[in-house]
Amino acid sequence: MKVTTARLTQHVLTGRTDGEPVLFVHGNVSSSAFWRDSVAALPEGYRPLAVDLRGFGESDPEPVDATRGLRDYSDDLAELVQALGLDRVHLVGWSLGGGVVLRFLRDHPAAVRSVTLVNPVSPYGFGGTEGPDGRLTHPDGTGAGAGATNPDFVARLKAGDMSDESPTSPRNVFRSSYMKHPDVPDEDFYVRSMLTTHVAESNYPGDAVTSPEWPGVAPGKIGVLNALAPTHFRLDDLHEIDPKPPILWIRGADDVIVSDTSLFDLAHLGALGVVPGSPGTPAQPMVTQTRAVLERYGRYREVVLEDCGHSPHIERPADFHGLLTAHLGEA
């Protein structure tokens, strides 16, 4: 269904229309389609809804003001929740969506019944930080932002490339990075979802800015990847909210995207010698940072799924749905 608010029109994938609302929020370069099976698997007593974030799927490609961090997305969710008259939602956020639901939780704690994080982005954004406290490597956030993405991947995404002819094709990125094991049923379905990403400077990836420091890129002011930069998105005060809904953190042990040694982190790639000229900048310890923030928050549980990558809800659906359903019931 489509829901129009003052901010934009959002597409929402739905299941049954009664029960406690469970709002699923997808990750970067994907859409609500990645939650298809989770929406279908939710038991009676729950009302599943999976939203397309702005610039993804069938929602409007409104510009992303990166200087607000992820608040454009979380404010969209707040209007959606209000428009549908949802009372105290369960939030489920994957990757980028994990950051979005944490931003929503920080701003609207009383509106949240529970939170489930699935391989979420660090509360200190993506790239440009060091240590468990998320300190900036450089004041301008060098190492993060739209300039850190692969230009060939962006070009192929914009062209709607369904092939597997290049390591940077969306299909091969799905196989090598979204999943640990590439033999996923309905692969075409998920790749088509990736291709709904609106490629533009104001959406994905954003405006690229240069920096005099290695690796030569810094966050811009518009677009998805810049909204994830640590100069714009930081949640080190999550423990201050009241009330504190319970948080379940599910992650694949072998995730190569959100990791303490992420293959998408320029600092770690520099240490591996993939990006030349590295001065030895430490990798961003993304998992460690998330754990540090949740330890301060207090009311959370971490579950690690072995032999699983970035997408537990697709790679290990039975385990994921069992954990989610139990968490919803406990909440």
Side-chain angles (χ1 to χ4, degrees), residues 49-135:
L49 307 104
V51 64
D52 285 337
L53 297 173
R54 62 169 60 197
F56 298 97
E58 298 178 42
S59 289
D60 287 347
E62 293 299 310
V64 176
D65 180 354
T67 66
R68 303 187 71 229
L70 298 179
R71 269 203 172 97
D72 270 353
Y73 298 118
S74 63
D75 286 354
D76 292 345
L77 291 190
E79 283 204 356
L80 177 67
V81 166
Q82 183 177 23
L84 293 176
L86 305 180
D87 179 33
R88 295 188 65 222
V89 294
H90 297 281
L91 295 173
V92 184
W94 168 52
S95 197
L96 162 68
V100 173
V101 302
L102 286 179
R103 180 73 267 171
F104 185 101
L105 174 64
R106 180 65 185 87
D107 294 343
H108 310 281
V112 181
R113 198 180 300 256
S114 76
V115 172
T116 302
L117 303 174
V118 188
N119 292 64
V121 66
S122 165
Y124 298 108
F126 200 99
T129 66
E130 305 173 12
D133 58 347
R135 63 186 179 276

Side-chain angles (χ1 to χ4, degrees), residues 182-291:
D183 53 341
V184 177
D186 294 341
E187 181 180 82
D188 283 358
F189 173 80
Y190 294 111
V191 176
R192 288 192 183 97
S193 168
M194 295 171 69
L195 296 177
T196 67
T197 303
H198 186 69
V199 178
E201 191 174 69
S202 59
N203 293 107
Y204 182 86
D207 61 325
V209 175
T210 60
S211 168
E213 306 289 345
W214 183 91
V217 296
K221 295 183 177 181
I222 54 176
V224 181
L225 296 187
N226 295 319
L228 285 167
T231 47
H232 303 317
F233 173 66
R234 296 179 71 83
L235 278 175
D236 46 9
D237 60 350
L238 191 66
H239 59 284
E240 296 179 3
I241 69 170
D242 182 41
K244 287 185 172 65
I247 295 177
L248 171 64
W249 174 22
I250 304 172
R251 64 182 182 87
D254 303 313
D255 187 1
V256 298
I257 297 178
V258 177
S259 165
D260 283 359
T261 53
S262 170
L263 296 181
F264 287 69
D265 176 17
L266 291 179
H268 181 57
L269 292 177
L272 295 176
V274 177
V275 180
S278 170
T281 304
Q284 179 188 5
M286 302 176 188
V287 172
T288 298
Q289 290 174 350
T290 297
R291 189 177 297 114

